[in-house]
Amino acid sequence: MWTSARLRESFLAFFEEKDHLRLPSSSLIPVNDPTLLLIGAGMAPFKSYFRGEEKPPHVRITTCQKCVRADDSNVGVTARHHTFFEMLGNFSFGDYFKKESIEWAWEYLTERLNLDPNRLWVTIYPGDMVAFNHWNKDVGVPAERISELEDNFWGPIGATGPCGPCSEIYYDRGEGPWWCGRTECAPGCNCDRYLEIWNLVFTGLNKEEDGSFSDLPRPCIDTGAGLDRITFLMQGKNNPYETDAFQPAMLALKEFSGHTLDEGGRVALALKIIGDHTRAVIFLLADGISPSNEGRGYVLRRLLRRAMRFGRVLGIHGTFLEKLVPAFVAVYGEIYPELATRELHVTNVLIQEQQNFLRTLEQGEHLLQSLLQASTPLSGTDVFRLYDTYGFPHELTQEIAAERGIQIDLDGFHKALEEARERSRADLEKKLDDARGGTIAVSHEQPSEFLGYQRTGAHAHVVHLFRQGMEVDEAHEGEGASVILDRTPFYAEGGGQVGDTGIFKSGELLVEVLDTQKGPHDTIVHRVEIRRGSLKKGAELEAIVDAKRRGDIMRHHTATHLLQAALRTVVGAHITQTGSLVAPDRLRFDFSHYAPLTPEQIETVERLVNEEVLRNQAVDKREMSMSEATAAGALAFFEEKYADRVRVVTVENFSKELCGGTHCARTGDIGLFKITSESAIAAGQRRIEAVCGMVALEAVRTYENILKTVSQDLKTTPTEIPGSLSRLKESLKRTERQVEELGEKLSAQRAGDLVSESVEVGGVKLLATEVPGVTSDGLSRLGDQLRDKLQSGIVLLGTRNGEGAKLMCWVTKDLVGRGYSAGNVIKAVIPTIGGKGGGRPEFAQGGGNKPDALSQALTEAKSLISRQAEG
């Protein structure tokens, strides 16, 4: 049988025979390509090779590339569309072109896969007679099975990039349920009769940022074949969901839903969407992407939530997507080992994200259903409120609304979303601008020469001098300014590392450098204050970095690399960096993980880092090409923009990362490493803070002083503190029990006094009063006793505590049966004391920040109950 694994290997081996270098799939996260959100085509990782910006390891390459395309509107509807898919590809970078790519595609399909040549159809770009002649004369495809399609132009992956005309191969599946039935049906039809299985892109152009096209340095070939499509074709199935790639997941779905694809209709659609989306989510999580409301994380979250939504079609209302993980790992774990190594992480994040969504789904759906009652188009403002407040993807809102035949204002939604983003961007820019002392504008210049890897001092010239955003010729004593030098040892903030500080000096001139930032056109901007003398444009001066501060920063930066390596060893290879701060007094490392680290894990991570410090290993830093770095296994922070030449920082047999920051010469320079905290910052995101060197020593001394103070207060020694605390806690428990007993006695006494204050309204006993000087627990106990003493009635108690007020209401069961509700009472009067509340018909409570209005709230409650009793 032609399994998906066999087909994948067959394709790659075939092109290896044609002198192609086989490379593994790149991550779904684009490296060094800000134009892409996710890898969506086999050629996307090779854009720099197509453009001639970087030399490929071989002029011929073949891959099976993981891809994700976020448009899921046709998933499950056709047999051709998936969110995640594997693209089989062969590439030529200035080597072979149309003739070879056409002949090899035909050879593989007809000779290796033994597909019937008479069922194969070809399309070409209008007027591409070179391709036509290769197909017709060299390969022998009859002219009547070659057609021109205007769509046969493959645009760039992203806003810019390589592109060109293409030629596609279609397989005629014949008449069947997949056929539209039209006599004019032909390749390019939207039905599934003619299945596109191969695309040959003759890449010779590059789309520029202004929309124009330029010629590539040399023509290239980018051909791709969808593995899912070829698999279901070779296995004689109706669609990919019946193949070995999806069947384990479909069987798992059947076990806990009871449904199968054979049922057809909406059930089959739901099964397909769940299978497709879950596969995509698993691969996204395994590549280090975490759920969020922006970017890649939003794609992941939207797919996951849509899959859960279709779970309801199958009668599934709890978490269930995690149950499909073993099925997909079994299919793909060998070819993509990251799925197997990160299986636990993927499973746990899936569970957490589903639980989070289930909590908001009920609230969001309740609001949405109420909005849909009007049966009018849903406003963009309401759609945005559902997205912003409840995490409802607008696609999900649109889907639910469509089931009711109601349109949504998508333009209004996108306008509201963009306005929110603009506000966020403006706030961020203002904060950055304030922090950096104003913006500057520099015409295109040579970049500042950075000397800081080798030294902390250098002679330099002032190239630009700015005050309040305006370029000036001179800045005087007491004034602030922004300075660009022709060369500088000062490191500009980047990659999590803070900017350097220090001084400029020359004769009587003394300038304090307060911060260093990246400027336009790769310049380095120094934010300064003139302490003595005047600083002039063109002046020669000595730039001196604060070497002690730089040393502290270097310690924390190198320690950050060791920390990441230790975390991957102790916690798992799924750990990926999501953010960092490297400062002279601390480091902060944010990473993807689904659960808090245990004390044992934290201790082990700390020990591993300190062991590397004691080994005093050399910290190697060297430049290489991006392809060389990734081939060497260097970790990259994918949100960073890397140059064609990158700097790799290595601690032998322990850590290897891409990094442009400054580092220690040896690990021993770090000194003591101490983790100070571990915490959550978002779903599936954790944060570790730590200190090094003398800062770590000071932290240890602080802990020691705390221990000494505590031991003195407990009149014991530091080593005996645990025992003393244990005895103290037991004593406290006994005291609390005594207080509780006294409280119950006092509560019973109060209940006896208060029950006489009840009044009868319309045959209902009502007690509504303020009880001063009582805690919430005391108020609760008192209310229970009063309810029991009344046997039939309503009790409403209020109390003031600090700057707030508390209200509680009890309704006996017989009155609940007559329509009285404690929840309704609290909801009606709680706004009076400026708060929120609610509960069940038998009991409800709430609190507010207007204690002076408590008497008014009690009066309103009495009136409400009286009206109901007398009505």
Side-chain angles (χ1 to χ4, degrees):
M1 173 179 163
W2 280 100
T3 64
S4 56
R6 181 185 173 193
L7 281 165
R8 186 190 298 111
E9 176 58 31
S10 167
F11 178 93
L12 296 172
F14 175 83
F15 281 99
E16 277 187 311
E17 293 170 12
K18 305 296 184 186
D19 193 29
H20 286 64
L21 172 66
R22 183 196 297 211
L23 292 180
S25 172
S26 296
S27 168
L28 288 167
I29 305 174
V31 177
N32 226 18
D33 191 344
T35 68
L36 294 182
L37 193 65
L38 293 161
I39 294 295
M43 62 76 63
F46 304 134
K47 285 168 70 172
S48 62
Y49 298 160
F50 282 99
R51 288 171 169 156
E53 298 167 347
E54 194 173 355
K55 184 179 179 181
H58 192 59
V59 291
R60 300 180 182 183
I61 288 176
T62 184
T63 63
C64 180
Q65 174 62 46
K66 300 180 293 186
C67 300
V68 166
R69 294 183 187 170
D71 181 10
D72 52 17
S73 57
N74 286 314
V75 170
V77 178
T78 76
R80 309 186 307 276
H81 293 90
H82 291 290
T83 47
F84 170 88
F85 57 94
E86 295 174 274
M87 185 61 77
L88 301 167
N90 59 283
F91 308 94
S92 166
F93 305 107
D95 187 37
Y96 62 85
F97 201 48
K98 293 184 181 181
K99 183 178 188 298
E100 293 86 350
S101 62
I102 287 171
E103 290 177 349
W104 291 339
W106 190 262
E107 179 185 347
Y108 179 75
L109 291 173
T110 59
E111 296 182 21
R112 289 295 172 94
L113 301 188
N114 292 316
L115 291 177
D116 183 356
N118 295 316
R119 284 179 172 261
L120 297 177
W121 293 64
V122 171
T123 62
I124 60 173
Y125 188 66
D128 188 353
M129 295 308 297
V130 174
F132 177 88
N133 287 330
H134 284 315
W135 283 118
N136 180 240
K137 297 178 180 178
D138 298 336
V139 173
V141 179
E144 59 270 21
R145 291 214 308 274
I146 305 173
S147 57
E148 295 183 345
L149 286 181
E150 287 288 344
D151 289 343
N152 276 30
F153 187 93
W154 192 252
I157 301 299
T160 63
C163 53
C166 64
S167 179
E168 297 172 330
I169 305 174
Y170 289 77
Y171 184 87
D172 181 5
R173 301 172 67 201
E175 299 178 5
W178 45 76
W179 182 37
C180 63
R182 298 181 304 121
T183 55
E184 63 270 29
C185 180
C189 179
N190 283 329
C191 77
D192 283 337
R193 172 172 176 169
Y194 291 93
L195 183 70
E196 181 213 326
I197 57 174
W198 204 290
N199 186 13
L200 302 91
V201 184
F202 309 128
T203 311
L205 301 173
N206 189 70
K207 187 176 182 181
E208 307 295 343
E209 290 184 2
D210 61 2
S212 64
F213 293 90
S214 60
D215 291 332
L216 291 176
R218 54 191 183 276
C220 301
I221 287 293
D222 156 29
T223 75
L227 179 58
D228 284 314
R229 297 184 188 183
I230 294 178
T231 300
F232 89 78
L233 189 65
M234 293 300 294
Q235 292 182 10
K237 305 296 184 181
N238 293 320
N239 58 66
Y241 303 97
E242 297 175 357
T243 67
D244 67 301
F246 276 100
Q247 271 304 290
M250 293 296 108
L251 289 172
L253 274 170
K254 178 185 176 183
E255 285 182 13
F256 57 82
S257 76
H259 293 287
T260 67
L261 291 169
D262 294 336
E263 296 174 55
R266 190 156 173 78
V267 167
L269 177 66
L271 289 167
K272 292 173 182 178
I273 288 174
I274 291 168
D276 170 274
H277 287 15
T278 304
R279 181 174 70 166
V281 166
I282 289 170
F283 272 90
L284 289 167
L285 286 170
D287 270 5
I289 300 169
S290 297
S292 72
N293 279 342
E294 292 287 340
R296 302 177 189 110
Y298 177 65
V299 173
L300 189 160
R301 176 166 282 169
R302 179 172 61 78
L303 293 174
L304 184 149
R305 292 183 171 185
R306 189 166 188 253
M308 289 189 70
R309 160 83 174 145
F310 275 91
R312 295 192 167 199
V313 174
L314 305 179
I316 307 170
H317 293 278
T319 66
F320 68 96
L321 301 181
E322 74 279 1
K323 297 175 183 176
L324 303 184
V325 175
F328 284 115
V329 171
V331 173
Y332 294 102
E334 186 174 349
I335 186 69
Y336 303 112
E338 63 271 18
L339 265 65
T341 58
R342 297 177 179 175
E343 182 175 359
L344 182 60
H345 169 74
V346 169
T347 300
N348 282 284
V349 174
L350 272 175
I351 293 171
Q352 283 187 349
E353 183 67 12
Q354 288 176 98
Q355 289 173 340
N356 291 342
F357 185 48
L358 287 171
R359 282 192 289 269
T360 61
L361 187 62
E362 185 176 350
Q363 296 173 300
E365 282 196 326
H366 179 74
L367 173 60
L368 178 56
Q369 294 301 338
S370 67
L371 291 170
L372 294 174
Q373 293 295 326
S375 298
T376 57
L378 204 59
S379 73
T381 303
D382 286 335
V383 176
F384 177 73
R385 181 153 59 103
L386 283 162
Y387 163 79
D388 193 45
T389 305
Y390 298 103
F392 251 63
H394 73 271
E395 298 92 345
L396 183 56
T397 301
Q398 186 176 24
E399 211 166 74
I400 296 172
E403 292 172 359
R404 299 276 292 271
I406 296 175
Q407 298 290 318
I408 73 171
D409 179 12
L410 274 179
D411 290 339
F413 164 77
H414 288 300
K415 181 181 178 183
L417 179 62
E418 189 54 37
E419 287 173 352
R421 286 175 174 167
E422 281 298 328
R423 287 193 297 271
S424 177
R425 279 194 288 265
D427 288 345
L428 179 61
E429 284 300 322
K430 186 177 185 307
K431 289 176 183 176
L432 290 173
D433 200 27
D434 291 344
R436 297 173 181 177
T439 57
I440 62 172
V442 182
S443 60
H444 186 67
E445 297 278 347
Q446 284 290 107
S448 303
E449 182 184 0
F450 177 59
L451 309 171
Y453 291 140
Q454 297 84 22
R455 62 184 82 171
T456 55
H459 289 281
H461 290 85
V462 178
V463 178
H464 292 285
L465 183 61
F466 297 88
R467 289 205 67 243
Q468 298 177 342
M470 302 295 292
E471 188 155 15
V472 296
D473 291 326
E474 189 171 0
H476 304 286
E477 188 171 314
E479 293 180 342
S482 297
V483 181
I484 297 176
L485 306 177
D486 58 346
R487 57 207 300 263
T488 178
F490 284 76
Y491 180 84
E493 180 178 330
Q497 180 174 327
V498 298
D500 278 333
T501 62
I503 61 170
F504 297 159
K505 67 177 186 177
S506 176
E508 292 298 313
L509 175 69
L510 180 63
V511 177
E512 183 179 1
V513 179
L514 305 174
D515 189 21
T516 311
Q517 297 287 333
K518 293 177 181 176
H521 309 302
D522 293 325
T523 55
I524 294 175
V525 181
H526 309 77
R527 306 294 185 186
V528 307
E529 282 191 11
I530 318 300
R531 298 303 184 197
R532 187 172 64 241
S534 295
L535 178 63
K536 297 179 181 180
K537 184 177 177 180
E540 183 179 357
L541 48 76
E542 189 176 0
I544 304 170
V545 174
D546 182 337
K548 180 183 180 303
R549 182 177 180 273
R550 163 74 80 79
D552 289 335
I553 293 170
M554 289 162 57
R555 272 184 272 278
H556 285 95
H557 204 155
T558 304
T560 302
H561 285 217
L562 300 184
L563 172 61
Q564 177 164 217
L567 281 168
R568 289 170 65 86
T569 299
V570 175
V571 183
H574 65 274
I575 293 292
T576 52
Q577 179 181 344
T578 58
S580 70
L581 170 70
V582 179
D585 59 341
R586 71 193 188 283
L587 69 85
R588 186 181 71 218
F589 184 77
D590 300 338
F591 59 99
S592 58
H593 188 52
Y594 51 84
L597 268 61
T598 66
E600 293 76 18
Q601 286 176 318
I602 294 173
E603 184 179 328
T604 304
V605 167
E606 192 175 79
R607 177 176 54 78
L608 284 177
V609 174
N610 280 302
E611 284 176 354
E612 284 302 308
V613 171
L614 289 173
R615 287 176 64 202
N616 198 25
Q617 284 271 79
V619 181
D620 181 70
K621 310 108 178 171
R622 64 184 64 190
E623 280 195 0
M624 59 185 73
S625 70
M626 188 69 192
S627 58
E628 288 173 330
T630 51
L635 293 179
F637 182 30
F638 290 106
E639 296 295 339
E640 283 290 312
K641 176 73 171 74
Y642 295 104
D644 294 333
R645 299 288 296 177
V646 294
R647 194 162 178 263
V648 178
V649 178
T650 305
V651 176
E652 189 176 356
N653 297 324
F654 197 76
S655 169
K656 188 187 294 286
E657 289 189 42
L658 272 63
C659 183
T662 59
H663 285 272
C664 300
R666 307 188 73 85
T667 58
D669 298 343
I670 293 170
L672 177 64
F673 171 83
K674 182 67 183 171
I675 293 175
T676 56
S677 71
E678 191 273 343
S679 60
I681 56 172
Q685 300 285 309
R686 308 296 302 176
R687 170 173 291 172
I688 281 180
E689 296 193 59
V691 289
C692 301
M694 293 301 294
V695 185
L697 181 59
E698 289 302 319
V700 171
R701 283 176 177 163
T702 299
Y703 299 149
E704 284 180 345
N705 290 334
I706 292 171
L707 282 174
K708 287 177 182 177
T709 302
V710 172
S711 62
Q712 288 170 0
D713 289 345
L714 292 174
K715 294 182 174 56
T716 187
T717 63
T719 56
E720 293 175 347
I721 286 176
S724 296
L725 284 176
S726 180
R727 291 190 293 273
L728 190 61
K729 284 192 287 186
E730 283 299 320
S731 175
L732 185 59
K733 284 181 182 178
R734 287 195 298 270
T735 303
E736 287 173 345
R737 283 195 294 269
Q738 291 171 354
V739 170
E740 190 174 339
E741 290 169 1
L742 288 171
E744 289 174 355
K745 290 178 181 179
L746 181 60
S747 179
Q749 184 178 333
R750 280 186 173 180
D753 296 337
L754 288 172
V755 75
S756 61
E757 296 181 17
S758 66
V759 295
E760 192 167 308
V761 181
V764 174
K765 289 180 184 177
L766 171 63
L767 174 60
T769 187
E770 180 179 347
V771 184
V774 65
T775 64
S776 293
D777 288 343
L779 196 69
S780 178
R781 286 195 297 269
L782 180 59
D784 288 341
Q785 291 174 344
L786 287 166
R787 178 199 58 207
D788 295 342
K789 285 182 179 292
L790 288 178
Q791 294 184 336
S792 175
I794 299 173
V795 177
L796 180 66
L797 302 180
T799 190
R800 310 179 196 212
N801 42 43
E803 297 182 359
K806 188 82 174 181
L807 274 173
M808 294 185 185
C809 183
W810 294 259
V811 176
T812 54
K813 288 185 178 180
D814 62 314
L815 294 182
V816 170
R818 289 167 54 184
Y820 293 91
S821 170
N824 291 343
V825 173
I826 292 295
K827 286 179 182 177
V829 303
I830 203 70
T832 303
I833 62 171
K836 295 180 180 179
R840 306 181 308 276
E842 297 89 351
F843 172 74
Q845 62 180 324
N849 57 9
K850 297 179 180 178
D852 292 340
L854 184 58
S855 296
Q856 181 186 343
L858 289 167
T859 301
E860 290 175 0
K862 289 177 184 177
S863 299
L864 175 68
I865 296 167
S866 296
R867 288 195 299 272
Q868 184 176 357
E870 294 171 352

